[in-house]
Amino acid sequence: MDDHILFHATDAIIGLDLRGSITYSNTSAEHLLGLSSRELLDRDHRTLLADDPNHTYEMIRESLMFGEHIDPIRREVLTKGGKAPQSVLVQYSPMKSDKGKFMGISAIMRKLTQSEKVANKAQALLETAPDAMVIVNQQGQIVLVNAQTEAQFGYTKEELLGKELEILVPDDIVYQHRHQRERYVSEPVPRNMSEDMELKGQRKDGSTFPVEVSLSPLKTENGLFISAAIRNISDRKKEEHKFRRLLDSAPDAIVIVGKEGLIQIVNAQVEKIFGYNKEDLIGKKVEELIPERYKNKHPGHRNSFAHNPKVRPMGAGLELSGLRKNGEEFPVEISLSPMETKDGILIIAAIRDITDRKSAQKELERKYKELEEKNKELEQFAYVASHDLQEPLQTVISLTEFLAESYGGMLDTNGAKSMEYVLASTKRMRQLIKGLLDYSQIGRQAVLAAVDCNTLLMEIKEDLSTVITNTKASIKVEKLPIVQGYETALRQLFQNLLTNAIKFTKANCQPVVSVFCKEEGENWLFGVKDNGIGIDKKYVDRIFIIFQRLHLREQYEGTGIGLAHCRKIVALHHGKIWVESEINKGSTFYFTIPK
Ligand code: ADP
């Protein structure tokens, strides 16, 4: 009975031994292969296969011997005695003895019909696609899906086949979608639907996810089908979201401009600064944000940048203006950079509203001017005062000297002493007034020139030779640079510092002074170092103020003008002056002169 069933079954059945030789064939097998059972017997079945017979048989045998189940496999067999290939679906099963010993393999073969073949091919093709692929008929019924569709949407194939496509569409747009699908069927052209639409898919569990869909019509002899490739773009959307958040967190307004100067993306700052809503700007020309009088020229600039796109940083020295929605113009600083995308080069413009900075700058400039005026006034006052005081003072001095000479003898000791004081004081006053006059004159009508500080120091040493000899001072001058400066002023500067360095020495101590200079960035840094009495830290600023002294005249002779002069001279050269000092060890006066 069993034999009969096998023998007359519609499926072709052959038995194979372990080597792959045929041990059994039923009637259908004879028909399929076009050979008699005798011709088939003992024949290596691989000679009847058109596709990679050796490799496959070994694998099948191995799997079955290990007890694995094998799904039906599509194969090509040679029919009519090896002449015509025919597609069949083969189910391989193990043949075992009563004791369970593996004896061989049975192969049950079923011819594939034409449509089964096409469907199989289409299925195989669909499975190779990276996207979820869904094929629907004209009525919108799903006829084919791939494994990606199952994975993305959470349905099994069986649950989808025959269902309306809208099972995969969010509930709220089913109606609209159905309508669109019907329209598409009447005018089917390949198209990417997501370019101008935000699309979503809906999973079996009701959750939705963003998708990009491309459609293509499939015209077959069985009618029109539509294939939809559905790509889950959640990751991309997430990236886009991140990018947006990043844009919005930027402190500057950012406008991303595409071809023809059309605005593609703007960040939140743009809304704040320009007063537009995002939606108002997307798709508009970027010239919308530019004052009327620049509008004509701007497309030209834009084009030349697009042709030679280089990063242009902010503050490139251009005075630029933006235009708010309310028509107000405001000063801006703009940086431009190109960004390559699949749609070509986009231009990223970062725009900074510098209204506040500009007005602060203007205020500063105004204050600076005011201060300059005030300073000039004061200087003028000091000049006039000291100049005009000189003359009556000189008269007082001359007359006092005359009195001392002519009538000195008539005075008693007290009178003579008083006369001496008057003379000394008035002379000192003359000194002070002269100092004041000099101070107000510093930098007036001076000419900037290259000054060789080595020569300058040599000459100063000569001028000071008497003091140097008297105090037995040792003055060491290192190699100094040639600087751009005002010669007379610089001479006075060095002379004051050297004089102080020699003057403020400890009792019975020989002054040792060195003058040096080193480069420090944009500046020359000069130093005059001594081994003198030093200066208390709390006075290091005060000593630069005019007439400020730390000692009695009886201790150290002076007027308190020297360092004030020095500070003014250094400022005239746009440098700085300061002192580093230690009581009883010595002081080093530093000053800078820009190169
Ligand atoms: P003057 O030398 O006429 O007193 P300056 O303006 O040159 O006036 O100096 C102001 C004060 O700074 C001096 O009186 C002195 O107290 C202090 N000073 C200046 N140079 C030195 C120095 N090299 N060492 C110690 N003290 C100094």
Side-chain angles (χ1 to χ4, degrees):
M1 182 63 185
D2 288 357
D3 279 356
H4 272 88
I5 295 172
L6 285 181
F7 200 71
H8 296 292
T10 13
D11 290 337
I13 302 172
I14 55 171
L16 303 169
D17 65 15
L18 292 180
R19 284 171 296 128
S21 301
I22 297 174
T23 53
Y24 171 85
S25 59
N26 70 353
T27 327
S28 295
E30 288 175 47
H31 283 303
L32 175 70
L33 301 166
L35 294 169
S36 69
S37 59
R38 198 171 314 140
E39 284 170 311
L40 286 170
L41 202 65
D42 284 337
R43 186 176 179 135
D44 187 333
H45 84 290
R46 282 167 282 209
T47 59
L48 299 169
L49 291 169
D51 52 357
D52 187 24
N54 285 327
H55 183 60
T56 325
Y57 187 67
E58 273 162 28
M59 291 215 322
I60 291 164
R61 190 179 53 201
E62 236 168 66
S63 300
L64 291 176
M65 281 173 80
F66 271 104
E68 289 168 21
H69 171 78
I70 300 180
D71 281 333
I73 303 173
R74 233 195 86 167
R75 310 213 61 173
E76 298 287 314
V77 294
L78 297 167
T79 60
K80 299 185 188 148
K83 285 188 199 90
Q86 157 79 49
S87 297
V88 291
L89 211 58
V90 188
Q91 174 69 66
Y92 291 98
S93 321
M95 290 197 300
K96 289 183 182 170
S97 70
D98 295 343
K99 288 186 177 152
K101 192 174 152 209
F102 191 86
M103 313 269 294
I105 294 169
S106 72
I108 304 173
M109 297 177 275
R110 179 176 291 173
K111 270 198 218 172
L112 279 178
T113 64
Q114 196 58 26
S115 65
E116 270 175 325
K117 265 193 258 173
V118 171
N120 267 332
K121 241 186 214 141
Q123 185 73 49
L125 268 174
L126 284 194
E127 297 302 349
T128 63
D131 299 327
M133 298 290 297
V134 177
I135 295 181
V136 296
N137 61 20
Q138 283 189 63
Q139 289 69 42
Q141 279 178 300
I142 298 172
V143 297
L144 228 63
V145 297
N146 64 355
Q148 275 295 330
T149 311
E150 297 179 287
Q152 291 288 354
F153 288 89
Y155 288 102
T156 64
K157 244 174 228 179
E158 290 68 34
E159 286 173 310
L160 289 173
L161 293 183
K163 296 279 160 50
E164 198 185 29
L165 174 63
E166 278 70 28
I167 189 175
L168 303 177
V169 166
D171 298 337
D172 53 337
I173 56 161
V174 163
Y175 178 77
Q176 188 192 346
H177 192 271
R178 198 175 288 142
H179 186 68
Q180 276 171 353
R181 171 168 56 72
E182 279 157 11
R183 255 214 335 248
Y184 182 78
V185 171
S186 66
E187 212 181 313
V189 280
R191 73 167 193 221
N192 190 338
M193 281 176 57
S194 305
E195 264 162 18
D196 41 25
M197 270 187 264
E198 289 259 316
L199 295 176
K200 282 202 163 143
Q202 180 170 283
R203 297 192 187 91
K204 187 177 175 184
D205 65 11
S207 61
T208 61
F209 57 102
V211 294
E212 193 175 73
V213 181
S214 42
L215 296 177
S216 23
L218 290 172
K219 285 185 184 125
T220 73
E221 52 198 43
N222 300 330
L224 175 73
F225 291 85
I226 291 145
S227 103
I230 304 160
R231 180 166 300 173
N232 184 341
I233 54 169
S234 299
D235 288 348
R236 203 173 76 200
K237 283 273 160 191
K238 253 185 235 154
E239 287 299 315
E240 268 178 34
H241 203 70
K242 240 195 251 163
F243 177 62
R244 292 235 159 234
R245 277 225 309 271
L246 210 78
L247 275 189
D248 284 342
S249 67
D252 296 325
I254 294 177
V255 177
I256 300 183
V257 176
K259 266 184 274 174
E260 312 292 333
L262 297 182
I263 297 174
Q264 295 201 349
I265 298 173
V266 299
N267 70 350
Q269 292 298 325
V270 172
E271 299 189 314
K272 262 194 216 147
I273 293 178
F274 287 91
Y276 285 99
N277 285 332
K278 276 184 190 175
E279 298 71 42
D280 296 343
L281 289 173
I282 304 296
K284 294 273 165 56
K285 287 240 173 195
V286 69
E287 278 74 24
E288 198 92 355
L289 303 175
I290 292 170
E292 200 58 45
R293 60 201 144 91
Y294 303 121
K295 269 189 187 153
N296 289 339
K297 283 204 182 139
H298 194 263
H301 295 321
R302 181 157 48 69
N303 279 336
S304 60
F305 183 84
H307 281 119
N308 184 17
K310 267 191 232 117
V311 174
R312 202 184 77 190
M314 288 214 176
L318 296 170
E319 292 268 330
L320 302 169
S321 307
L323 181 68
R324 295 192 224 275
K325 188 178 179 185
N326 63 10
E328 196 180 287
E329 267 188 41
F330 62 105
V332 293
E333 219 166 59
I334 298 181
S335 78
L336 295 177
S337 43
M339 175 168 82
E340 287 211 38
T341 71
K342 67 177 177 20
D343 304 321
I345 288 188
L346 302 182
I347 300 168
I348 307 177
I351 303 153
R352 190 169 297 172
D353 183 345
I354 55 168
T355 310
D356 291 349
R357 201 176 76 199
K358 277 266 163 182
S359 57
Q361 204 174 326
K362 273 214 181 102
E363 181 60 17
L364 216 71
E365 274 165 20
R366 201 181 59 75
K367 279 259 151 55
Y368 184 76
K369 270 228 171 76
E370 225 177 73
L371 225 73
E372 233 177 15
E373 291 293 320
K374 277 261 149 57
N375 234 348
K376 267 206 193 113
E377 253 172 51
L378 275 172
E379 235 163 49
Q380 190 62 19
F381 169 77
Y383 173 73
V384 171
S386 47
H387 184 265
D388 291 2
L389 279 175
Q390 266 185 329
E391 207 186 284
L393 185 64
Q394 191 50 46
T395 312
V396 173
I397 291 171
S398 302
L399 284 177
T400 320
E401 276 171 349
F402 169 74
L403 278 177
E405 256 170 46
S406 311
Y407 303 96
M410 296 168 155
L411 296 172
D412 61 7
T413 338
N414 264 348
K417 253 238 150 39
S418 299
M419 181 66 88
E420 220 173 88
Y421 281 144
V422 171
L423 255 181
S425 293
T426 42
K427 278 189 182 154
R428 184 165 159 70
M429 194 162 169
R430 180 169 63 187
Q431 238 181 359
L432 291 176
I433 288 177
K434 168 83 169 48
L436 202 58
L437 189 65
D438 289 347
Y439 182 82
S440 69
Q441 291 286 77
I442 288 172
R444 278 204 182 184
Q445 289 134 14
V447 205
L448 204 65
V451 180
D452 185 343
C453 297
N454 302 293
T455 322
L456 203 63
L457 262 288
M458 226 142 68
E459 290 167 3
I460 293 169
K461 267 166 74 178
E462 255 173 53
D463 292 346
L464 298 179
S465 59
T466 318
V467 198
I468 293 173
T469 319
N470 289 346
T471 54
K472 298 197 178 72
S474 137
I475 314 267
K476 206 175 98 206
V477 180
E478 286 179 12
K479 189 163 167 45
L480 302 177
I482 297 174
V483 300
Q484 280 293 315
Y486 303 99
E487 188 178 337
T488 321
L490 286 177
R491 180 187 301 273
Q492 200 181 351
L493 169 65
F494 278 113
Q495 186 159 333
N496 287 354
L497 293 177
L498 274 184
T499 314
N500 282 350
I502 298 169
K503 182 165 67 176
F504 294 101
T505 41
K506 291 171 279 191
N508 305 323
C509 183
Q510 179 202 356
V512 178
V513 182
S514 62
V515 182
F516 55 89
C517 179
K518 56 186 175 190
E519 273 184 88
E520 217 183 55
E522 310 277 283
N523 295 314
W524 293 113
L525 175 66
F526 286 89
V528 178
K529 180 176 161 64
D530 64 46
N531 61 339
I533 56 170
I535 300 161
D536 194 324
K537 287 229 162 17
K538 54 184 178 223
Y539 298 128
V540 291
D541 291 327
R542 206 167 103 183
I543 53 170
F544 292 99
I545 298 170
I546 196 162
F547 300 140
Q548 292 287 336
R549 313 197 66 234
L550 304 180
H551 305 280
L552 294 174
R553 224 168 339 112
E554 291 71 34
Q555 279 176 295
Y556 296 100
E557 178 59 33
T559 54
I561 287 175
L563 286 181
H565 270 174
C566 291
R567 189 173 64 170
K568 197 169 173 195
I569 292 165
V570 173
L572 184 71
H573 288 84
H574 306 290
K576 276 197 186 110
I577 185 166
W578 68 97
V579 65
E580 284 170 16
S581 184
E582 211 176 315
I583 290 281
N584 277 328
K585 288 248 168 80
S587 315
T588 308
F589 282 82
Y590 290 101
F591 65 90
T592 59
I593 303 279
K595 291 184 203 158

